[in-house]
Amino acid sequence: TYWRKQNMLRREKKKRPLPEADEFVFDDEPPLTVGIAIPLDVRPPGSDEDPPPGRPDDRAHRHGRPRRRRRRTAADGGSSRPERAEGTLSRTPAGTDRRRAVAVLQSRRYVSILFAALGGLPEGPPPNPESLDVHGMRDLYLAALVRWYAEDFLPNGTKDESGGAAPDRPTPSPLRVIEPRPASMEHLAGFHGLHYLNTLRDGPDVPDPMPRAEERCPSDASTMASDPAAVKGTIFSREDNCGGPDNTPSAAASSSKNEHKILDEMGLTDDCALPPTAKGRNVLWTYCRYVCGASLQAAALLCGSPRGPPRTADGANAAVDVSPPPNYSVAINWGGGRHHARRGSAGGFCFVNDAVLACSFLNRNLGRVLYVDIDIHHCDGVQEAFYGSDRVLTCSLHRYAPGFFPGTGSAADKGAGSGWGYCVNLPMPDNITDDEFGPVFERALLSLTDAFQPSAVVLAVGADGLAEDPLVGSAGWSLSSRGISGCVRTAAVLCDRRDIRLLVLGGGGYGDADTARTFLACTAAACCGIRPSALGELPEYLPEHKYVRAYGPDIRLHTPVVKAAGIHKVKCFVRGKQLVDSLTALDLAAEYIQCKQKSFNSYEE
């Protein structure tokens, strides 16, 4: 029965033509001359159309040999490009010089949209009165630093392998800045419900309790006299000069009550308040489309999708490059990482969950995906999306304490159904430092990668674990930019050695200057797989640019390192016990996953 179903699905796939990149048009956007075709099938795994995990999609794989496909040329009426089976990673043909590169999704328009939706000025009201004003000037500060790093520092400050300067033959820059494109409603509907998306775009759909004007005030007196039933139940208004009771306030109150109930059920109140005006909702909807579109575009680049010439930070075409297109092994979207949003509700300043969409896309095009989250808040939205799936392994290093948002992430949560054991929660103690956090992250990444053997790793980096974060406060972690960038460097080096694609997403971080410093260091750390000395090449002080005064009085690039000192013995014992419990749970989870993957492999053989 299984193979009959697979043959039927294969025949249906052959009948469906594959869309080209130029045929895909985004909503309210001009056609892409050279762009990326993002498939609409970005749903989370686990549906009936998915083959059982660990089982091959082709009957020929049962005998240990892949099905060979004949190359179709233009003379055959097909594409000159060789067909590639779904679920395999595109490899670089022998004899071609495709340089590995790191893609950063950023442009002036993208940054302005992020600032309009979540940003604000240091003093005074934000430019957009309906902005959440949680990120402040973070996106503008980071955009200026990334522009300096990609356009000024890397091309001019590169070094050769011997360590000396090579002005005549500079090392090619591994960083490419690419302009993001917005996603469509179909992309967002791959995870979120249509009713929730329509509410984000158009506001709550509340039935109007007020009748129309002709029902509220009949103009023909003879009709009222001949039909008293028409007058009974009619709502009169003083504005219509019809005489009678004014029930407009009660009707408006009922409508407002229903509207507030709908918004409260979707989480569009308090920290994720939906703008009341159509202009504010338009800004928010544009922000949601661009955040998800950038993450999906980054995932498509990792899958080998074509892309045009590199673009600078302002969106203009860079210098003409006649070399073959780069082979992107790392992609970065610092505006993404909205891991709190769920299928039909928002939460934690997250309206849409781009991380779930990107993981689903990578899973359907590359294979198994390992999602690692080092934000101080637990990734409740991502965990809920893949709680019953064994195709995406979620691992979260977070703070778990009573009264701390979102209140989930217990070590006892291990998944459900076929996904039991594929959800790893590692609560970290309060005031954890770089010396403690770095080894735990490295051990988690190595053990889960060895056991799960993923084809792609999605790393959500949050800067709200920095010491004295304005939102978390002193009860949080005591990390520095060196510690967080060290985690990104560990992931980049490991993925490069094992030929695993790496997608880096942003997250929390509510200190504008410190978050921009940290994400700049993480951008350089993501290049360490291609250039091992990228992180060490960064200067000690920040460059002279437009916002350099915002970092004063200390304009060093890295935030100060905090040492664990003066901890009471009881607190030290509790911290040590929590770390030991988390590491024990990690080892058990890795052992279980490894045993389960071995059983899948033996079933295939």
Side-chain angles (χ1 to χ4, degrees):
T1 304
Y2 167 74
W3 289 116
R4 282 199 300 269
K5 185 177 179 181
Q6 293 303 312
N7 292 332
M8 180 181 65
L9 293 176
R10 247 194 328 272
R11 286 193 296 267
E12 292 180 356
K13 285 184 178 180
K14 290 181 180 180
K15 295 179 182 179
R16 292 180 295 182
L18 296 176
E20 297 294 336
D22 298 341
E23 298 177 1
F24 195 87
V25 181
F26 291 97
D27 294 343
D28 304 328
E29 290 289 334
L32 298 177
T33 55
V34 179
I36 294 178
I38 304 177
L40 296 179
D41 197 3
V42 292
R43 296 170 299 172
S47 61
D48 296 337
E49 298 180 0
D50 296 329
R55 301 182 185 179
D57 289 341
D58 204 325
R59 183 189 293 265
H61 284 280
R62 296 171 61 188
H63 307 287
R65 61 180 185 275
R67 180 186 292 269
R68 303 190 63 179
R69 299 175 181 268
R70 185 178 67 89
R71 173 177 293 199
R72 299 179 60 192
T73 60
D76 300 332
S79 174
S80 60
R81 183 176 54 187
E83 295 184 359
R84 180 169 57 89
E86 183 180 359
T88 59
L89 184 64
S90 60
R91 304 294 182 184
T92 305
T96 60
D97 184 18
R98 291 188 63 187
R99 299 193 304 267
R100 292 178 301 165
V102 178
V104 178
L105 279 297
Q106 179 178 298
S107 67
R108 286 189 174 180
R109 184 178 183 182
Y110 184 44
V111 173
S112 63
I113 291 173
L114 294 177
F115 179 71
L118 300 180
L121 300 177
E123 297 179 359
N128 179 20
E130 298 177 349
S131 172
L132 293 182
D133 194 9
V134 293
H135 287 172
M137 299 281 289
R138 184 186 92 170
D139 299 306
L140 300 183
Y141 294 164
L142 178 60
L145 292 179
V146 171
R147 186 182 301 114
W148 161 81
Y149 183 71
E151 298 180 3
D152 299 334
F153 180 77
L154 283 179
N156 301 326
T158 54
K159 301 179 181 180
D160 57 7
E161 297 180 357
S162 61
D168 298 334
R169 299 181 61 184
T171 305
S173 173
L175 195 65
R176 303 294 181 92
V177 181
I178 297 177
E179 180 181 4
R181 305 304 298 270
S184 63
M185 174 68 84
E186 288 79 5
H187 294 139
L188 301 179
F191 173 64
H192 295 283
L194 289 177
H195 181 50
Y196 173 70
L197 295 177
N198 291 330
T199 304
L200 277 180
R201 183 183 60 182
D202 305 326
D205 187 12
V206 180
D208 188 8
M210 297 290 295
R212 291 189 296 269
E214 57 271 14
E215 300 176 357
R216 191 170 65 240
C217 181
S219 57
D220 191 357
S222 60
T223 303
M224 298 186 343
S226 61
D227 189 5
V231 185
K232 185 178 181 180
T234 305
I235 301 177
F236 295 96
S237 175
R238 291 196 183 109
E239 297 178 356
D240 299 325
N241 295 324
C242 298
D246 187 356
N247 294 330
T248 303
S250 61
S254 176
S255 175
S256 177
K257 184 178 180 180
N258 295 334
E259 178 179 348
H260 182 76
K261 181 179 179 181
I262 293 176
L263 295 179
D264 189 56
E265 291 176 353
M266 296 184 178
L268 297 176
T269 56
D270 298 333
D271 55 346
C272 295
L274 186 69
T277 63
K279 182 178 179 181
R281 289 193 297 268
N282 186 25
V283 173
L284 179 62
W285 178 248
T286 305
Y287 160 78
C288 295
R289 291 178 55 202
Y290 264 90
V291 166
C292 292
S295 296
L296 286 173
Q297 186 175 354
L301 289 172
L302 297 179
C303 296
S305 297
R307 183 63 183 175
R311 294 179 177 270
T312 58
D314 57 354
N317 289 330
V320 178
D321 189 2
V322 297
S323 60
N327 181 23
Y328 293 104
S329 58
V330 182
I332 305 173
N333 176 26
W334 291 125
R338 308 288 94 193
H339 56 184
H340 292 306
R342 306 193 179 190
R343 175 176 174 81
S345 62
F349 311 125
C350 303
F351 294 91
V352 287
N353 201 321
D354 61 295
V356 172
L357 295 175
C359 290
S360 303
F361 183 89
L362 292 172
N363 177 43
R364 290 187 174 272
N365 290 272
L366 295 182
R368 291 187 292 267
V369 177
L370 171 61
Y371 176 84
V372 184
D373 197 308
I374 59 175
D375 194 286
I376 193 173
H377 300 95
H378 179 246
C379 53
D380 53 341
V382 181
Q383 174 180 293
E384 181 181 335
F386 302 108
Y387 202 65
S389 172
D390 55 1
R391 307 277 294 277
V392 177
L393 172 61
T394 60
C395 176
S396 177
L397 287 76
H398 56 274
R399 180 175 183 261
Y400 181 69
F404 189 74
F405 183 85
T408 57
S410 173
D413 299 336
K414 300 182 182 297
S418 61
W420 193 93
Y422 289 83
C423 175
V424 182
N425 289 317
L426 304 177
M428 295 288 105
D430 297 345
N431 303 116
I432 189 172
T433 59
D434 298 342
D435 298 335
E436 300 168 334
F437 190 84
V440 174
F441 172 81
E442 183 176 357
R443 182 172 175 178
L445 186 64
L446 287 174
S447 59
L448 294 179
T449 304
D450 292 337
F452 191 57
Q453 296 294 325
S455 300
V457 174
V458 179
L459 179 61
V461 183
D464 46 7
L466 294 173
E468 300 296 336
D469 185 82
L471 183 64
V472 179
S474 59
W477 294 345
S478 299
L479 302 180
S480 67
S481 60
R482 295 183 184 274
I484 297 179
S485 60
C487 296
V488 178
R489 183 185 184 279
T490 301
V493 173
L494 176 66
C495 293
D496 182 75
R497 291 177 179 176
R498 304 192 179 186
D499 196 14
I500 301 175
R501 296 302 191 250
L502 176 62
L503 174 60
V504 182
L505 301 177
Y510 307 97
D512 305 349
D514 291 343
T515 303
R517 289 170 173 162
T518 304
F519 284 170
L520 173 64
C522 293
T523 303
C527 302
C528 289
I530 303 174
R531 181 185 298 174
S533 60
L535 187 58
E537 292 176 355
L538 288 176
E540 182 180 0
Y541 294 93
L542 292 169
E544 183 68 28
H545 63 286
K546 182 179 180 181
Y547 304 107
V548 69
R549 294 185 178 180
Y551 298 88
D554 187 6
I555 60 172
R556 297 179 186 271
L557 192 143
H558 287 285
T559 59
V561 179
V562 180
K563 297 293 183 180
I567 301 178
H568 194 267
K569 290 183 179 180
V570 177
K571 292 185 178 180
C572 184
F573 173 76
V574 173
R575 286 163 55 88
K577 184 179 183 302
Q578 193 171 6
L579 283 175
V580 170
D581 293 344
S582 297
L583 293 177
T584 303
L586 172 64
D587 295 339
L588 293 176
E591 183 178 357
Y592 172 80
I593 293 171
Q594 188 173 9
C595 293
K596 196 171 181 180
Q597 294 301 129
K598 285 183 178 180
S599 65
F600 285 158
N601 296 336
S602 62
Y603 178 82
E604 292 181 16
E605 295 175 359

